[in-house]
Amino acid sequence: MFFFTMDSYRFSFSEPFLSHRRKLFSEFSLCVGASLLLCSLFFFSNSLKVPKNSVFLSVFNSSNINSSFVSHPFSFDSTNHSCLSQNNASEEGSVVFGGTLGDMKKNSSFMSSNVTNGDSYNGNTSVVEVRNEGDFVRDKNVSLITHSDDDQMENIEVGFLDEKCDVFDGKWIRDYSKPYYPLGSCPFIDRDFNCHLNGRIDLEYVKWKWKPNKCHIPSLNATDFLERLRGQRLVFVGDSLNRNMWESLVCILRQNVRNKKRVFEISGKREFKKKGVYAFRFEDYNCSVDFVASPFLVRESSFKGKNGSFETLRLDLMDHTTTRYQDANILVFNTGHWWTHDKTSKGEDYYQEGNRVHPRLKALDAYTRALTTWAKWVDRKINANETQVFFRGYSFTHFWGGQWNSGGQCHKETEPIYNETYLQKYPSKMRAVEYVIEKMKTEVVYMNISRLTDYRKDGHPSVYRKDYKTTMTKNPSSLYEDCSHWCLPGIPDTWNELLYVSLLKYGKGTWKV
């Protein structure tokens, strides 16, 4: 009988075998460790790898953005190459119509923002909403520029100081940070332009921003504007459309002055419709923003004929008001709307040069001659080293069914024109302006605002040029519509925004960037 103990079953191995076993386990552990390391590196590199279809969106400076980097979750739809927000909550934002692919910008920082799908308007127009002003957005049916789209990067954004940047070539985008001054806040707006005070209820017309197609422009910084204007005079010279623009700038600048009492019209006037010279002084900055009423720029006169005296327009002489603005630091001229007035468009026994009154002269011909007189005066009298000269272009009207005095209407227009086929032709008068300016010795900046105004059929006072309820109660037939001028706040604020940009781009002295 055998009895076995545990110790009797214990195996023993030779030393060579034990050495081989230790080497085997050592190599196995090393392989496992290396495999784990390689796997970790593989997954880590995949997490850092940029997918071929990833889209980086650059962000522009905006007063609404408080951080250099803002991110929201996106999912990429490879079917239509668009970025779709995973957050489906609707938010106030920008509506873009007629945009281009050129609004991408190379930048070391990238931003993604909430984008909601938009619907199409008329024609090929697209609409997309974003949260912040300046965000880059695209229609979901248009391919975005991706990391691999090197051939499309030729349309990258340039700064507004670049010569390639045409700030007047662009589209309107929704902007809920507008207007520059609250509705009803500025006491210096003529009643005819104060649509809110006159009872206009719809407010969407003030929530648009002009966006150039190939560059980004800054908003008007009122404090910077006043600092650069310190000790200077800016004068608007022209018709009531320039008065529209003048009142707009006064209100924009005044909004950023702490003590509003230190902004005042030097003669104490509160009505600005009559012909004359008006000057708003900004006491804290020792500067003024003035308006000189001169609808033709040239002189309104009279002629003594065989049958008595009659009114004429001296195409060869400047208006008497030139002495009131000749020494200004910045001049903004305009003329155009009065050249379609009944008596000027007929052109019979009205236009005068020297002692001759033309029996008949077309308005465009007379307009060109008057501009030539203006150009010669500027070349002769204006010191280009001290004075910056601008000419603001023609502002489109939107009368349907007649003119201002024959039943023309634009009432109930609450949206811009989306379909570009409805836009009007470039005004022949502005071609005359370009022709004359090209021949001048003095550098004149032409503010071509015609097209940007053509879109905005929604921005006119229409029936709200007076108190709508009161006028309708008393005499509805007397309520002719104003589809020429613009509500304030409104489109003229954008003209001044572009004036600010143009001053920074072409200005002299304190305006040099």
Side-chain angles (χ1 to χ4, degrees):
M1 207 175 168
F2 298 94
F3 296 94
F4 295 93
T5 63
M6 184 64 69
D7 286 341
S8 65
Y9 271 83
R10 184 175 295 167
F11 294 98
S12 61
F13 295 94
S14 64
E15 186 62 27
F17 180 83
L18 291 175
S19 176
H20 178 72
R21 186 184 62 176
R22 285 194 294 269
K23 182 178 180 180
L24 181 65
F25 282 112
S26 176
E27 290 178 353
F28 178 78
S29 300
L30 184 62
C31 289
V32 171
S35 299
L36 290 173
L37 179 61
L38 287 172
C39 289
S40 300
L41 288 174
F42 175 79
F43 287 112
F44 183 69
S45 64
N46 272 348
S47 67
L48 292 179
K49 186 177 179 180
V50 180
K52 184 177 181 180
N53 288 327
S54 291
V55 179
F56 292 108
L57 305 180
S58 59
V59 61
F60 309 120
N61 291 333
S62 172
S63 58
N64 294 335
I65 300 172
N66 298 320
S67 175
S68 300
F69 300 92
V70 182
S71 63
H72 292 287
F74 275 82
S75 64
F76 186 81
D77 183 348
S78 60
T79 305
N80 55 29
H81 297 282
S82 65
C83 285
L84 307 178
S85 173
Q86 292 177 354
N87 182 1
N88 294 322
S90 67
E91 299 192 34
E92 289 188 336
S94 301
V95 177
V96 181
F97 52 92
T100 66
L101 284 172
D103 294 335
M104 290 292 291
K105 184 177 181 182
K106 287 182 178 178
N107 199 312
S108 59
S109 62
F110 302 103
M111 168 187 173
S112 59
S113 61
N114 279 346
V115 178
T116 58
N117 298 334
D119 299 319
S120 294
Y121 279 98
N122 298 334
N124 297 322
T125 302
S126 59
V127 179
V128 180
E129 293 193 358
V130 297
R131 179 168 182 160
N132 292 318
E133 171 193 347
D135 293 352
F136 177 80
V137 296
R138 291 302 307 152
D139 176 42
K140 67 178 181 178
N141 296 316
V142 180
S143 296
L144 288 168
I145 297 177
T146 68
H147 197 66
S148 60
D149 292 331
D150 295 331
D151 57 329
Q152 298 187 50
M153 292 307 291
E154 61 188 21
N155 287 327
I156 61 172
E157 181 147 348
V158 297
F160 72 92
L161 296 176
D162 194 301
E163 287 300 321
K164 298 178 183 177
C165 173
D166 181 0
V167 298
F168 303 103
D169 175 28
K171 297 289 183 290
W172 290 95
I173 64 172
R174 272 291 188 195
D175 186 346
Y176 285 90
S177 69
K178 299 295 182 186
Y180 279 105
Y181 46 101
L183 290 155
S185 67
C186 186
F188 303 127
I189 299 176
D190 273 337
R191 185 63 183 255
D192 289 353
F193 305 152
N194 202 330
C195 304
H196 177 68
L197 182 65
N198 292 332
R200 182 168 181 172
I201 299 175
D202 65 291
L203 304 178
E204 296 303 301
Y205 68 95
V206 300
K207 299 174 182 178
W208 295 90
K209 178 181 175 64
W210 180 251
K211 174 69 174 69
N213 284 329
K214 294 187 178 180
C215 51
H216 181 68
I217 59 174
S219 295
L220 195 161
N221 186 320
T223 302
D224 180 61
F225 196 112
L226 286 167
E227 284 292 351
R228 293 178 186 274
L229 194 63
R230 187 181 290 275
Q232 301 177 24
R233 284 180 69 215
L234 189 162
V235 184
F236 293 91
V237 184
D239 58 27
S240 55
L241 273 298
N242 247 16
R243 176 162 56 90
N244 219 176
M245 185 177 180
W246 167 65
E247 292 181 15
S248 161
L249 183 60
V250 169
C251 291
I252 291 173
L253 299 180
R254 175 186 177 273
Q255 180 65 23
N256 284 265
V257 174
R258 184 167 298 178
N259 187 349
K260 302 292 190 287
K261 293 181 179 179
R262 294 177 69 78
V263 180
F264 52 88
E265 205 285 318
I266 58 174
S267 61
K269 296 174 184 175
R270 306 285 292 214
E271 296 278 339
F272 314 116
K273 291 185 66 173
K274 294 181 180 179
K275 286 188 177 181
V277 179
Y278 306 93
F280 266 97
R281 181 166 177 79
F282 290 78
E283 193 70 22
D284 293 337
Y285 296 89
N286 187 30
C287 66
S288 70
V289 180
D290 307 349
F291 171 66
V292 176
S294 181
F296 296 107
L297 298 182
V298 292
R299 186 177 304 175
E300 295 179 76
S301 185
S302 61
F303 186 83
K304 290 183 179 180
K306 295 179 180 179
N307 299 323
S309 297
F310 55 91
E311 291 182 353
T312 61
L313 188 64
R314 290 293 301 266
L315 302 177
D316 57 338
L317 293 177
M318 287 291 285
D319 190 18
H320 290 294
T321 58
T322 55
T323 56
R324 306 297 297 272
Y325 58 79
Q326 183 175 328
D327 61 344
N329 302 95
I330 302 168
L331 287 169
V332 182
F333 292 97
N334 99 296
T335 184
H337 281 265
W338 282 46
W339 296 85
T340 59
H341 194 275
D342 287 346
K343 63 181 180 181
T344 59
S345 61
K346 292 177 181 177
E348 298 178 0
D349 296 323
Y350 182 66
Y351 300 116
Q352 179 182 353
E353 290 179 298
N355 292 322
R356 184 195 178 199
V357 176
H358 295 276
R360 182 181 293 274
L361 192 65
K362 291 182 178 180
L364 182 59
D365 190 2
Y367 182 75
T368 305
R369 296 187 189 201
L371 283 176
T372 302
T373 298
W374 164 80
K376 289 179 178 179
W377 178 86
V378 170
D379 283 341
R380 188 174 66 253
K381 295 290 186 179
I382 296 298
N383 184 343
N385 294 323
E386 298 179 0
T387 302
Q388 181 75 54
V389 181
F390 294 84
F391 192 100
R392 181 186 57 75
Y394 185 78
S395 166
F396 271 110
T397 62
H398 295 92
F399 289 99
W400 317 126
Q403 286 301 311
W404 67 274
N405 57 354
S406 59
Q409 298 180 3
C410 57
H411 186 32
K412 296 183 180 179
E413 293 288 357
T414 59
E415 290 185 328
I417 292 174
Y418 296 112
N419 191 334
E420 293 187 0
T421 60
Y422 293 114
L423 297 179
Q424 303 172 61
K425 292 182 179 180
Y426 186 61
S428 56
K429 287 194 290 291
M430 292 304 99
R431 296 192 187 279
V433 169
E434 292 181 9
Y435 173 79
V436 170
I437 289 178
E438 285 177 0
K439 296 181 177 297
M440 294 177 66
K441 296 178 182 178
T442 307
E443 181 185 6
V444 175
V445 178
Y446 171 44
M447 296 183 61
N448 187 358
I449 55 90
S450 296
R451 189 171 180 83
L452 70 87
T453 59
D454 200 0
Y455 285 106
R456 298 306 305 277
K457 61 184 173 64
D458 59 320
H460 299 291
S462 64
V463 295
Y464 301 106
R465 55 177 292 274
K466 294 181 178 179
D467 188 320
Y468 181 63
K469 292 182 180 179
T470 302
T471 307
M472 287 297 290
T473 302
K474 290 183 178 180
N475 184 12
S477 62
S478 68
L479 194 65
Y480 71 84
E481 297 190 20
D482 181 355
C483 306
S484 298
H485 300 97
W486 305 91
C487 297
L488 291 180
I491 281 75
D493 300 337
T494 295
W495 304 350
N496 285 308
E497 186 173 74
L498 295 173
L499 173 63
Y500 175 65
V501 170
S502 299
L503 279 165
L504 294 175
K505 187 172 183 177
Y506 302 110
K508 302 176 176 65
T510 58
W511 289 96
K512 286 184 178 180
V513 178

